Amino acid sequence: MSKPSARSVVPYLSNKMLACAFVGGLMGQMVMGISAHHNGSILGLTLALVFVLSGGASMALFLNHRHVERRPRTEPAPIQQWLLTLGAAMMVSIWYGRFL
């Protein structure tokens, strides 16, 4: 009889994934606000790009820090999933914001 693995199975929708989705939605609305404030100019696009890169990086670093505090160092953090969730929520927020 095989012994079950000691590795924990992370649920698909963890609290960290929900936090990424929430922050992504807020970031999408902030990008829409920056764009509206600058009337779609190059300056507005540049500011929005800097905001998205810095916000995404800070969210990933924060979640990675929390992951390292609570899990063994040998278990890698699912940073790709977090960034994909953040980006998808941001895109949905921007797409949905266009129609309001």
Side-chain angles (χ1 to χ4, degrees), residues 16-70:
K16 293 176 183 175
M17 296 288 277
L18 293 175
C20 282
F22 180 73
V23 169
L26 289 178
M27 285 177 62
Q29 291 304 306
M30 296 281 287
V31 166
M32 290 294 289
I34 291 170
S35 176
H37 181 70
H38 291 283
N39 296 324
S41 68
I42 297 296
L43 176 63
L45 178 63
T46 305
L47 288 173
L49 181 63
V50 168
F51 173 75
V52 165
L53 290 176
S54 63
S58 64
M59 184 71 181
L61 288 173
F62 171 73
L63 289 175
N64 190 37
H65 171 72
R66 298 293 293 167
H67 180 80
V68 168
E69 282 183 344
R70 295 182 179 191

